Amino acid sequence: MEEEKIKKSLIAGSIGIGSLAAAAGAAAFYSAFVEPYWFDLNKIEIRIQRLPDSFKKFHIVHISDFHLGFHFKAKHIAKMAVEIQKLNPDLVVFTGDLVNSHRSLKSAVKSLPYLKKINAPYGKLAVLGNHDYLENIHTISELLGKSGFELLINENRRIKKGEDELYIAGLDDYLRGEADIERALAGIPEGRCTFLLAHEPDYFKVSTKFPVDLQLSGHSHGGQIRLPLFGPIVTSKMGRKYHSGLYQAENKFLYTNRGMGTTHLPFRFFCRPEITSITLK
């Protein structure tokens, strides 16, 4: 009788261990081969206090962190471009990390035709990320230019709609570049609605001290691996406090995009790659 109980316990234990192993294997497969390429189209509205009337319902598509060359290829850019064009954005912004390293140029070059297909009547603007500095910056600038993106390095551009205007400033990468927000905002008339493209989201602690209404960032990838009720297991430098989603400090906002690609480890879990569709109110 006692032997029978022991046998049953051993069998139950084996089944339990087998089930756990199967679940772990399925989770590993999903996080490596499914979720990293299952794009999340996240549609949000942001109410900007100083937004000019002409820019109400202005539509911005925000993308970030391709990390081309590290498990994210031209075919994935092609798929992303199709999804963006379906949205008919007014403006497209990219907040850095076109490539993953100095070995990524081949994938970046192959991606150019698909990036060029992304069109928006008010243009396509971009800033650099820390991984872009692992490659020659002039090469990255040239690649972005060929894909139709205008690169902003501590400078700004005016967008005019009707009788109103909106300013988009672009910050050089904080970790590897020479970020200078005063230069980025120079020349913007006082009182104008201003958005800042800054790769690292935790720069929000600085930008809130300046006349910036909305900061758009990437860098963190949302942590890539997230656990329910816990959040990201590991976060990156300058991407720890504001690692994903919408944040507000009084009448100023930050949105952190989870990025498209991956880095260091090619996994995503409860943290899908993101295309952000922002409607201004």
Side-chain angles (χ1 to χ4, degrees):
M1 189 75 172
E2 194 63 36
E3 287 182 8
E4 203 171 306
K5 285 183 180 179
I6 293 171
K7 284 181 181 179
K8 286 182 179 179
S9 296
L10 289 173
I11 292 169
S14 298
I15 292 172
I17 292 170
S19 297
L20 285 173
F29 179 87
Y30 167 80
S31 64
F33 299 105
V34 178
E35 187 165 310
Y37 312 108
W38 181 21
F39 301 159
D40 178 19
L41 175 54
N42 193 10
K43 295 184 178 182
I44 65 169
E45 294 181 342
I46 303 178
R47 189 177 297 276
I48 305 295
Q49 190 175 47
R50 298 195 301 173
L51 188 72
D53 288 342
S54 298
F55 287 90
K56 289 176 180 176
K57 296 187 178 180
F58 194 76
H59 181 201
I60 300 172
V61 164
H62 176 199
I63 46 178
S64 196
D65 296 84
F66 298 160
H67 288 270
L68 284 163
F70 185 77
H71 300 271
F72 201 74
K73 311 293 183 184
K75 63 181 180 181
H76 304 121
I77 293 290
K79 177 183 172 185
M80 179 199 74
V82 169
E83 294 303 313
I84 291 174
Q85 282 308 108
K86 289 178 184 177
L87 296 171
N88 294 315
D90 293 309
L91 174 72
V92 176
V93 298
F94 172 67
T95 49
D97 280 354
L98 175 70
V99 297
N100 191 65
S101 71
H102 66 279
R103 297 186 296 273
S104 305
L105 285 182
K106 187 175 180 181
S107 290
V109 171
K110 287 183 177 180
S111 300
L112 292 183
Y114 307 113
L115 289 172
K116 284 182 71 173
K117 288 181 179 180
I118 299 173
N119 292 307
Y122 290 89
K124 294 152 56 177
L125 301 175
V127 291
L128 296 170
N130 56 309
H131 277 257
D132 293 322
Y133 273 91
L134 299 177
E135 181 50 71
N136 184 291
I137 292 305
H138 296 295
T139 303
I140 298 299
S141 301
E142 186 179 347
L143 288 172
L144 285 168
K146 286 181 178 178
S147 66
F149 280 88
E150 182 181 2
L151 180 62
L152 301 179
I153 303 179
N154 296 326
E155 55 192 315
N156 62 77
R157 292 292 178 268
R158 182 184 72 162
I159 297 177
K160 192 167 177 60
K161 191 172 189 287
E163 296 299 315
D164 295 320
E165 56 187 22
L166 172 73
Y167 285 82
I168 311 288
L171 191 74
D172 196 4
D173 181 70
Y174 178 80
L175 293 175
R176 294 182 180 269
E178 297 181 359
D180 188 334
I181 192 169
E182 292 185 350
R183 274 180 55 198
L185 300 177
I188 298 177
E190 187 176 349
R192 296 298 194 275
C193 186
T194 301
F195 297 169
L196 177 70
L197 309 182
H199 182 64
E200 288 86 3
D202 287 1
Y203 195 80
F204 191 50
K205 291 177 285 188
V206 177
S207 69
T208 51
K209 300 173 184 176
F210 290 84
V212 171
D213 299 275
L214 170 65
Q215 176 182 315
L216 298 176
S217 298
H219 179 60
S220 68
H221 302 206
Q224 285 189 195
I225 306 294
R226 300 172 68 94
L227 296 180
L229 304 178
F230 182 81
I233 297 175
V234 179
T235 51
S236 51
K237 184 179 180 181
M238 288 298 290
R240 295 194 170 107
K241 185 172 183 179
Y242 307 106
H243 50 74
S244 57
L246 185 64
Y247 301 88
Q248 182 176 0
E250 296 181 353
N251 60 344
K252 298 171 184 286
F253 294 89
L254 160 70
Y255 191 86
T256 305
N257 178 288
R258 294 191 302 270
M260 298 299 296
T262 58
T263 189
H264 302 307
L265 293 173
F267 304 113
R268 281 185 179 268
F269 192 70
F270 283 98
C271 194
R272 288 164 60 192
E274 178 178 5
I275 299 170
T276 315
S277 172
I278 302 170
T279 300
L280 302 178
K281 298 185 72 177

